[in-house]
Amino acid sequence: MRRIFLLIFSLFLFTSLYAQRMSDEQVIQYVKAGQAAGKSQKQMTTELLRRGVTQEQVLRIKSNYEAVKGEPVNADNIPTQMRKRSVGLGESYEAAELEDQKAVIDEKQNTQAQPEVLGKQIFGHNLFQNRNLSFEPSSNLATPINYRLGPGDEVIIDIWGASENTIRQVISPEGSIQVKDLGPVHLNGMTVKEANAYLQREFSKIYSGIGGNDPNSQIRLTLGDIRTIQINIMGEVSVPGTYTLSAFSTVFHALYRAGGVNKIGSLRGIKLVRNGKTIETLDVYDFIMKGKMNDDIRVQEGDVIIVNPYESLVEIVGKVKRPMYYEMKPSETVASLLKYAGGFTGDAYKKAVRIIRKSGREHQVFNVDEMDYSVFRLDDGDMITTDAVLDRFENKVEISGAVYRAGLYQLDGTVNTVKQLIKKAEGLRGDAFLGHVLLDREREDLSHEMISIDLNGLMNGTVADIPLQKEDHLYIPSINDLKETETVSIYGEVLNPGTFLHSDNMSIEDLIIQAGGLSEAAATTRVSVTRRIKNPKSTTYSSKLAETFTFDIKDGLIMGDGNFQLQPFDMVQVRRSPAYQVQRTVTVAGEVLFSGSYSLLKKNERLSDLINRAGGITPEAYIMGGRLIRKMNDEEKRRERDVIRMAYSGEGKDSISTAKLAISETYTVGVDMGKALANPSSDYDIVLREGDMIYIPEYINTVKISGSVMYPNTVTWEGGKKLKHYVNMAGGYGDMAKKSKAYIVYLNGTVARAKKSDSHLIQPGCEIIVPSKKEKKRMQLAEIMGMSSMTATIAAMVATLTNTFK
């Protein structure tokens, strides 16, 4: 039973809804009977399809069988195309059959292709195998007058004029139609033209207005639904057999339904046999290359199409437009093959081709010249190679350098000498160096020689012109190419300092103008020019490095010495005026009358001067807490970067921790504001610089205690109290406190060492900081016990996992 169901699945290569459905039991009984009668798989498939059996019905039978017997059908035995698709309700029998045949063709070509031609791309073979193309006959064609009627054709007979009627009937298997009052009318075998003439005569018997010399009614026969015919396609096609086609089908339609020719099938001699005689031999290449449709003969009932194996298959490779395999007739030549291959490509060597032939014992090679293309015939297995042109020129000369149109030129009647080549390049440029021109020439052995030419004499006629050879390269140097690029430089107080090209008669003011002019800070009384020391003929050592010239600049960039001209590689320096100063701004804030930004009036302006300019301090000011915040300048930033670099590179316990380095753009300068204001211009009175900010706070009567104390706190300042008092206010020293290292930071930025006995050190607003000792990490008993417990837990877990995976 299982074998029966496997056979059912392997049979269904095509699916459709074509005829009356068979029941599931009828399908099973049919398969059994077909096996017993020895019917082929293809024969049973065709008959079942015509009875309306679908893939869905087969799947249902399969499911019922598995549910009852419990034996699954092996899906691997189901044909590939059966697993891929099913036929929709709107799909025709012919379309479904065609799609399934194409799947069979693909599978058959992949498994049964001849080894010697497997993988070859043969010209024309894909014409009937491309699923994106359709060779189905058109259903919109007018009825051909040479179409022969037969059983199954639907005819439409229209009568109009004095009498009007329409008769629509299908020609019976006996070849006739039944007409009222006329009886059977035999139409089988007639063409449409013959049938119209015949009906004209027959219908005149029942319609008086048809026929005669002056008819008043007309009659015409046309086709409705077209009958189907059966033909046989034999030989080297993908799926040979019997096919049901439209009566409009041609040989090409039939080949498409059969999947086209296989790998060894011939496209050059397809035979159409009718009634045992060959009525036509078709050449598909004529259709592909010339579009000759007259060879596409319409097939008739019982026709046989025979595709024989190819006689000659040759391959062409190389520089042709369609390199592949081509089927050749015995009479065809190399010229025919080149035409099929689309001709040579643009870079092909067209004078000759090379042919490798398997002579039966050894290989042979033939070099066929261009004049023999039309007479040299090809044999089966020949391989034709078309080579590319050589990667060299047969008539090229080149000119480069100081000419107006450098490039490649052809060596011909107008360009044969050096002088003619220069003229062709539209002459020499003004910077051409004529004393030593180079001609690079390639010898016969592909080595090169250099020929020096006195072009000045050649152009004047005192030196003979030099004939050129192919591959010659004439180089005419420029005088600018033979020396270092001449530049001049300008630096200092100009808007766009840099390097510029040198020009003859160039002055300092010319260079300043190119550099955008002088900046506002430029000193016009001293512009220096530094010049190289150069003496190419010197034979003695000199310690002199350069020479310098100094000039004044007048208004409007008029030089004091108008005769001085810059030479190549001169370096111009425009100094900064010593009297030029940019405003420098400082800020004062806090308890002053007029806070805000102020510009310094002189270089050595001091702290007391600025406070006076701000209107002095207010009565609420806490002068002892006044502080100065200074912005770091470039030199200080450089020193800070050096310190950081040293800290990173240091090793051992003496290295500085970078985390303790205060990286900031500003820092606090410790000042004694009271002494500074009481003693103007003294050392207490600090000299200000750009970016300084002075802040004078209000009176603050608190003291902050932080660091290694029990409870860091801020308390009220009490005059005369010592360090111990304030530490006690913070709960006392911590366990790790460095008591002897305590220090005090004041509001003005100064720092002092805290002494236990000195009560005057602690001032309002200050901060007492008690540092901590370095903590030594010791493992306590509880930690040891915890680690032991953790180790035991991990060991137990590992043991459990080991036992689990055994």
Side-chain angles (χ1 to χ4, degrees), residues 282-294:
L282 281 73
D283 187 348
V284 178
Y285 277 23
D286 285 343
F287 168 67
I288 297 174
M289 303 301 296
K290 303 175 183 178
K292 294 177 63 176
M293 292 295 295
N294 55 336

Side-chain angles (χ1 to χ4, degrees), residues 527-569:
V527 175
S528 62
V529 179
T530 305
R531 180 164 294 170
R532 288 182 181 180
I533 300 297
K534 44 191 175 182
N535 184 5
K537 298 183 179 180
S538 177
T539 57
T540 59
Y541 171 76
S542 176
S543 60
K544 188 175 182 181
L545 299 179
E547 55 181 333
T548 303
F549 309 91
T550 303
F551 302 94
D552 293 339
I553 303 177
K554 295 184 179 180
D555 294 338
L557 294 180
I558 300 173
M559 306 306 301
D561 187 355
N563 296 324
F564 184 81
Q565 294 180 354
L566 295 175
Q567 293 185 7
F569 311 109

Side-chain angles (χ1 to χ4, degrees), residues 61-79:
I61 298 172
K62 167 181 173 292
S63 300
N64 294 337
Y65 173 77
E66 290 179 346
V68 175
K69 300 296 183 180
E71 298 181 6
V73 177
N74 186 0
D76 293 336
N77 293 329
I78 302 174

Side-chain angles (χ1 to χ4, degrees), residues 23-199:
S23 66
D24 295 354
E25 184 62 29
Q26 287 175 329
V27 172
I28 296 174
Q29 294 302 324
Y30 172 81
V31 173
K32 288 182 178 180
Q35 281 184 302
K39 290 184 179 181
S40 67
Q41 178 176 323
K42 177 177 176 59
Q43 185 178 357
M44 287 188 288
T45 299
T46 304
E47 293 178 1
L48 285 172
L49 286 171
R50 295 190 177 189
R51 286 167 172 77
V53 177
T54 65
Q55 183 184 15
E56 290 79 5
Q57 186 175 1
V58 175
L59 294 175
R60 184 175 64 253
I61 298 172
K62 167 181 173 292
S63 300
N64 294 337
Y65 173 77
E66 290 179 346
V68 175
K69 300 296 183 180
E71 298 181 6
V73 177
N74 186 0
D76 293 336
N77 293 329
I78 302 174
T80 304
Q81 66 280 4
M82 197 66 165
R83 297 196 301 266
K84 286 184 177 179
R85 66 180 299 274
S86 62
V87 179
L89 291 175
E91 191 172 2
S92 66
Y93 168 76
E94 290 81 1
E97 183 181 21
L98 177 61
E99 290 297 320
D100 288 330
Q101 285 178 351
K102 299 302 290 183
V104 175
I105 292 165
D106 292 341
E107 187 169 343
K108 183 174 181 180
Q109 288 177 343
N110 290 334
T111 57
Q112 299 180 2
Q114 296 297 326
E116 63 272 18
V117 295
L118 189 62
K120 292 182 180 179
Q121 186 179 3
I122 304 174
F123 180 70
H125 276 212
N126 62 345
L127 180 64
F128 302 106
Q129 297 174 354
N130 193 332
R131 294 190 180 189
N132 295 323
L133 301 178
S134 174
F135 272 93
E136 290 297 318
S138 175
S139 59
N140 297 321
L141 289 175
T143 303
I145 60 175
N146 61 349
Y147 177 79
R148 293 193 178 275
L149 302 174
D153 281 338
E154 182 186 36
V155 295
I156 303 172
I157 304 173
D158 292 315
I159 304 170
W160 71 95
S163 300
E164 292 190 0
N165 193 11
T166 298
I167 300 173
R168 191 181 189 114
Q169 289 195 26
V170 177
I171 298 177
S172 68
E174 290 77 20
S176 61
I177 60 173
Q178 191 72 23
V179 179
K180 184 180 179 181
D181 299 329
L182 190 61
V185 177
H186 188 78
L187 298 176
N188 184 40
M190 295 183 183
T191 64
V192 173
K193 183 178 181 179
E194 294 170 346
N196 270 296
Y198 175 69
L199 291 175

Side-chain angles (χ1 to χ4, degrees), residues 488 502-511 529 531 564-568 570-572:
V488 288
H502 174 265
S503 302
D504 291 338
N505 302 320
M506 191 177 195
S507 63
I508 297 177
E509 67 266 29
D510 298 335
L511 181 58
V529 179
R531 180 164 294 170
F564 184 81
Q565 294 180 354
L566 295 175
Q567 293 185 7
D570 279 355
M571 184 180 295
V572 178

